[in-house]
Amino acid sequence: MKKIVVFGSFVVDLMGRGPHLPVPGETVKSGFFKMGPGGKGFNQGVAAHKAGGDVTMVTKLGKDTFANVALDTMRDLGMDTSRIITTEDYPTGVALIEVDETTGQNAIMVIPSSCDHIEDAEVDALKDLIEGADILLTQLETNMSAIRRVIEMASGMGKTIILNTAPVQPVADDLLAKVSIVTPNEVEAGILSGIKVTDAESARQAAEWFLSKGVKSVVITMGGMGAFVADGDRREMTPAFSVKAVDTTGAGDAYSGGFVTALAEGKDIFEACRFAAATAALSVTKMGTTPAMPTRAEIDGFLKDHE
Ligand SMILES: Nc1ncnc2c1ncn2[C@@H]1O[C@H](COP(=O)(O)OP(=O)(O)O)[C@@H](O)[C@H]1O
Ligand SMILES: [Mg+2]
């Protein structure tokens, strides 16, 4: 099995549910609070690990109590913590999530802090790790200078690079050209390509845009519609599984984790999309992000039931 490095953000999710979302200046007394691990990089690393991947997680934490939310979670799951970067200079990242308990609408402020300040030297220190790995999976939630540096390093070593373009922000053409597989959701694909993605045909057009930038393969996830794949000469819609969705936050993260694990096991991109869709389908049947990521046994059982 190939080795995976997940380079990305960790934040502590601080979630409150109340009678309505506060307007500017308002304080809303609310009845429910929950704290837990989050961050796109971390969610994807956990998803890949639980799906059976050989994952080394790289993220950056402060030296504070919130750092333990990451470290405790990783130890509980049996994940390698040896490449976690720590700093005295910034706190561990947080996401302040407000949820309206009647409408389910939310307002989120994400403050990646330490993960927004990953230094060049800290990326350079990953040289041996990346050299010994086969696949790099990263997102857009850490500082762009670090994203650029780690992609350039892995690209120089000829590694497979998967870029999940969340949260969406512009990606320079020369950087996109170094990406092996880009995995935007339909909104991100639309913003980056300028082609609004609503169906298979518009997804195909957006995928062509990424290919024209030098990306080798494209997977555009489209929620319950599935994912559009462009790989080699093939252009195909791959289905989602029909499940009773309880909470779709983190679906894309589950998908990325399942996808990278399947690729690491030598599956082709279409088989990997099926495995990823099963991973994501299971995740949307549970509340939360990191805790909702399914185990390998759950994914295998689900796939067997849906043959
Ligand atoms: N309601 C759902 N039912 C089944 N699968 C889903 C559902 N929502 C998402 N998925 C799966 O998760 C994948 C990623 O979801 P998507 O919404 O595209 O990503 P993101 O969370 O980044 O917005 C989809 O391609 C699909 O396989
Ligand atoms: Mg979505």
Side-chain angles (χ1 to χ4, degrees), residues 135-150:
I135 307 178
L136 171 73
L137 168 63
T138 191
Q139 312 77 26
L140 297 175
E141 204 162 51
T142 54
N143 48 302
M144 188 51 89
S145 58
I147 297 164
R148 168 173 285 280
R149 206 163 179 94
V150 77

PDB file of all heavy atoms in Angstrom, residues 135-150:
ATOM      1  N   ILE A 135       1.751   9.781  -2.201  1.00  0.00           N
ATOM      2  CA  ILE A 135       0.643  10.690  -2.526  1.00  0.00           C
ATOM      3  C   ILE A 135       0.583  11.823  -1.502  1.00  0.00           C
ATOM      4  O   ILE A 135       0.644  11.579  -0.292  1.00  0.00           O
ATOM      5  CB  ILE A 135      -0.725   9.958  -2.504  1.00  0.00           C
ATOM      6  CG1 ILE A 135      -0.686   8.709  -3.401  1.00  0.00           C
ATOM      7  CG2 ILE A 135      -1.845  10.891  -2.947  1.00  0.00           C
ATOM      8  CD1 ILE A 135      -1.991   7.895  -3.385  1.00  0.00           C
ATOM      9  N   LEU A 136       0.462  13.053  -1.999  1.00  0.00           N
ATOM     10  CA  LEU A 136       0.227  14.213  -1.137  1.00  0.00           C
ATOM     11  C   LEU A 136      -1.204  14.676  -1.355  1.00  0.00           C
ATOM     12  O   LEU A 136      -1.623  14.899  -2.489  1.00  0.00           O
ATOM     13  CB  LEU A 136       1.191  15.346  -1.500  1.00  0.00           C
ATOM     14  CG  LEU A 136       0.902  16.697  -0.818  1.00  0.00           C
ATOM     15  CD1 LEU A 136       1.270  16.658   0.665  1.00  0.00           C
ATOM     16  CD2 LEU A 136       1.647  17.841  -1.520  1.00  0.00           C
ATOM     17  N   LEU A 137      -1.943  14.813  -0.256  1.00  0.00           N
ATOM     18  CA  LEU A 137      -3.303  15.377  -0.315  1.00  0.00           C
ATOM     19  C   LEU A 137      -3.302  16.682   0.469  1.00  0.00           C
ATOM     20  O   LEU A 137      -2.895  16.724   1.630  1.00  0.00           O
ATOM     21  CB  LEU A 137      -4.309  14.399   0.314  1.00  0.00           C
ATOM     22  CG  LEU A 137      -5.729  14.937   0.587  1.00  0.00           C
ATOM     23  CD1 LEU A 137      -6.444  15.340  -0.693  1.00  0.00           C
ATOM     24  CD2 LEU A 137      -6.551  13.900   1.353  1.00  0.00           C
ATOM     25  N   THR A 138      -3.719  17.763  -0.194  1.00  0.00           N
ATOM     26  CA  THR A 138      -3.789  19.033   0.520  1.00  0.00           C
ATOM     27  C   THR A 138      -5.028  19.818   0.076  1.00  0.00           C
ATOM     28  O   THR A 138      -5.741  19.414  -0.833  1.00  0.00           O
ATOM     29  CB  THR A 138      -2.478  19.844   0.365  1.00  0.00           C
ATOM     30  OG1 THR A 138      -2.498  20.946   1.276  1.00  0.00           O
ATOM     31  CG2 THR A 138      -2.278  20.373  -1.059  1.00  0.00           C
ATOM     32  N   GLN A 139      -5.296  20.919   0.777  1.00  0.00           N
ATOM     33  CA  GLN A 139      -6.492  21.731   0.548  1.00  0.00           C
ATOM     34  C   GLN A 139      -6.062  23.198   0.491  1.00  0.00           C
ATOM     35  O   GLN A 139      -4.886  23.470   0.365  1.00  0.00           O
ATOM     36  CB  GLN A 139      -7.524  21.520   1.685  1.00  0.00           C
ATOM     37  CG  GLN A 139      -7.798  20.057   2.049  1.00  0.00           C
ATOM     38  CD  GLN A 139      -6.686  19.452   2.900  1.00  0.00           C
ATOM     39  OE1 GLN A 139      -5.971  20.165   3.613  1.00  0.00           O
ATOM     40  NE2 GLN A 139      -6.500  18.140   2.819  1.00  0.00           N
ATOM     41  N   LEU A 140      -7.026  24.109   0.644  1.00  0.00           N
ATOM     42  CA  LEU A 140      -6.695  25.540   0.571  1.00  0.00           C
ATOM     43  C   LEU A 140      -6.959  26.265   1.893  1.00  0.00           C
ATOM     44  O   LEU A 140      -7.199  27.462   1.904  1.00  0.00           O
ATOM     45  CB  LEU A 140      -7.491  26.202  -0.571  1.00  0.00           C
ATOM     46  CG  LEU A 140      -7.190  25.673  -1.982  1.00  0.00           C
ATOM     47  CD1 LEU A 140      -8.120  26.318  -3.002  1.00  0.00           C
ATOM     48  CD2 LEU A 140      -5.729  25.932  -2.365  1.00  0.00           C
ATOM     49  N   GLU A 141      -6.900  25.536   3.019  1.00  0.00           N
ATOM     50  CA  GLU A 141      -7.241  26.171   4.304  1.00  0.00           C
ATOM     51  C   GLU A 141      -6.012  26.642   5.083  1.00  0.00           C
ATOM     52  O   GLU A 141      -6.129  27.327   6.095  1.00  0.00           O
ATOM     53  CB  GLU A 141      -8.096  25.234   5.163  1.00  0.00           C
ATOM     54  CG  GLU A 141      -8.946  25.983   6.203  1.00  0.00           C
ATOM     55  CD  GLU A 141     -10.098  25.151   6.740  1.00  0.00           C
ATOM     56  OE1 GLU A 141      -9.875  24.001   7.167  1.00  0.00           O
ATOM     57  OE2 GLU A 141     -11.231  25.663   6.725  1.00  0.00           O
ATOM     58  N   THR A 142      -4.821  26.259   4.638  1.00  0.00           N
ATOM     59  CA  THR A 142      -3.595  26.778   5.271  1.00  0.00           C
ATOM     60  C   THR A 142      -3.095  27.947   4.430  1.00  0.00           C
ATOM     61  O   THR A 142      -3.663  28.248   3.373  1.00  0.00           O
ATOM     62  CB  THR A 142      -2.525  25.679   5.357  1.00  0.00           C
ATOM     63  OG1 THR A 142      -2.334  25.132   4.050  1.00  0.00           O
ATOM     64  CG2 THR A 142      -2.950  24.565   6.303  1.00  0.00           C
ATOM     65  N   ASN A 143      -2.022  28.618   4.886  1.00  0.00           N
ATOM     66  CA  ASN A 143      -1.513  29.753   4.119  1.00  0.00           C
ATOM     67  C   ASN A 143      -1.001  29.300   2.746  1.00  0.00           C
ATOM     68  O   ASN A 143      -0.375  28.261   2.616  1.00  0.00           O
ATOM     69  CB  ASN A 143      -0.422  30.508   4.886  1.00  0.00           C
ATOM     70  CG  ASN A 143       0.641  29.614   5.479  1.00  0.00           C
ATOM     71  OD1 ASN A 143       0.334  28.724   6.258  1.00  0.00           O
ATOM     72  ND2 ASN A 143       1.896  29.839   5.106  1.00  0.00           N
ATOM     73  N   MET A 144      -1.311  30.112   1.729  1.00  0.00           N
ATOM     74  CA  MET A 144      -0.988  29.751   0.342  1.00  0.00           C
ATOM     75  C   MET A 144       0.522  29.563   0.140  1.00  0.00           C
ATOM     76  O   MET A 144       0.923  28.715  -0.666  1.00  0.00           O
ATOM     77  CB  MET A 144      -1.536  30.826  -0.603  1.00  0.00           C
ATOM     78  CG  MET A 144      -1.452  30.504  -2.070  1.00  0.00           C
ATOM     79  SD  MET A 144      -2.114  28.882  -2.566  1.00  0.00           S
ATOM     80  CE  MET A 144      -3.821  29.270  -2.888  1.00  0.00           C
ATOM     81  N   SER A 145       1.341  30.310   0.864  1.00  0.00           N
ATOM     82  CA  SER A 145       2.794  30.156   0.673  1.00  0.00           C
ATOM     83  C   SER A 145       3.234  28.734   1.025  1.00  0.00           C
ATOM     84  O   SER A 145       4.083  28.145   0.348  1.00  0.00           O
ATOM     85  CB  SER A 145       3.562  31.182   1.508  1.00  0.00           C
ATOM     86  OG  SER A 145       3.230  31.046   2.883  1.00  0.00           O
ATOM     87  N   ALA A 146       2.620  28.156   2.047  1.00  0.00           N
ATOM     88  CA  ALA A 146       2.962  26.788   2.454  1.00  0.00           C
ATOM     89  C   ALA A 146       2.382  25.766   1.476  1.00  0.00           C
ATOM     90  O   ALA A 146       3.032  24.766   1.156  1.00  0.00           O
ATOM     91  CB  ALA A 146       2.438  26.515   3.861  1.00  0.00           C
ATOM     92  N   ILE A 147       1.166  26.040   1.000  1.00  0.00           N
ATOM     93  CA  ILE A 147       0.532  25.141   0.021  1.00  0.00           C
ATOM     94  C   ILE A 147       1.411  25.077  -1.231  1.00  0.00           C
ATOM     95  O   ILE A 147       1.727  24.009  -1.748  1.00  0.00           O
ATOM     96  CB  ILE A 147      -0.888  25.634  -0.342  1.00  0.00           C
ATOM     97  CG1 ILE A 147      -1.798  25.612   0.893  1.00  0.00           C
ATOM     98  CG2 ILE A 147      -1.492  24.807  -1.467  1.00  0.00           C
ATOM     99  CD1 ILE A 147      -3.088  26.414   0.741  1.00  0.00           C
ATOM    100  N   ARG A 148       1.812  26.266  -1.681  1.00  0.00           N
ATOM    101  CA  ARG A 148       2.677  26.334  -2.855  1.00  0.00           C
ATOM    102  C   ARG A 148       3.979  25.570  -2.623  1.00  0.00           C
ATOM    103  O   ARG A 148       4.403  24.756  -3.449  1.00  0.00           O
ATOM    104  CB  ARG A 148       2.981  27.802  -3.198  1.00  0.00           C
ATOM    105  CG  ARG A 148       4.104  27.968  -4.225  1.00  0.00           C
ATOM    106  CD  ARG A 148       4.266  29.411  -4.670  1.00  0.00           C
ATOM    107  NE  ARG A 148       3.208  29.835  -5.580  1.00  0.00           N
ATOM    108  CZ  ARG A 148       3.179  29.547  -6.891  1.00  0.00           C
ATOM    109  NH1 ARG A 148       4.138  28.817  -7.439  1.00  0.00           N
ATOM    110  NH2 ARG A 148       2.197  29.961  -7.652  1.00  0.00           N
ATOM    111  N   ARG A 149       4.581  25.774  -1.481  1.00  0.00           N
ATOM    112  CA  ARG A 149       5.885  25.159  -1.222  1.00  0.00           C
ATOM    113  C   ARG A 149       5.801  23.633  -1.141  1.00  0.00           C
ATOM    114  O   ARG A 149       6.661  22.936  -1.662  1.00  0.00           O
ATOM    115  CB  ARG A 149       6.468  25.729   0.075  1.00  0.00           C
ATOM    116  CG  ARG A 149       7.986  25.684   0.120  1.00  0.00           C
ATOM    117  CD  ARG A 149       8.496  26.608   1.199  1.00  0.00           C
ATOM    118  NE  ARG A 149       9.938  26.562   1.276  1.00  0.00           N
ATOM    119  CZ  ARG A 149      10.752  27.397   0.654  1.00  0.00           C
ATOM    120  NH1 ARG A 149      10.255  28.351  -0.128  1.00  0.00           N
ATOM    121  NH2 ARG A 149      12.066  27.291   0.790  1.00  0.00           N
ATOM    122  N   VAL A 150       4.760  23.142  -0.504  1.00  0.00           N
ATOM    123  CA  VAL A 150       4.655  21.672  -0.362  1.00  0.00           C
ATOM    124  C   VAL A 150       4.299  21.032  -1.708  1.00  0.00           C
ATOM    125  O   VAL A 150       4.804  19.955  -2.051  1.00  0.00           O
ATOM    126  CB  VAL A 150       3.686  21.285   0.781  1.00  0.00           C
ATOM    127  CG1 VAL A 150       2.222  21.425   0.396  1.00  0.00           C
ATOM    128  CG2 VAL A 150       3.967  19.866   1.264  1.00  0.00           C
TER     129      VAL A 150
END
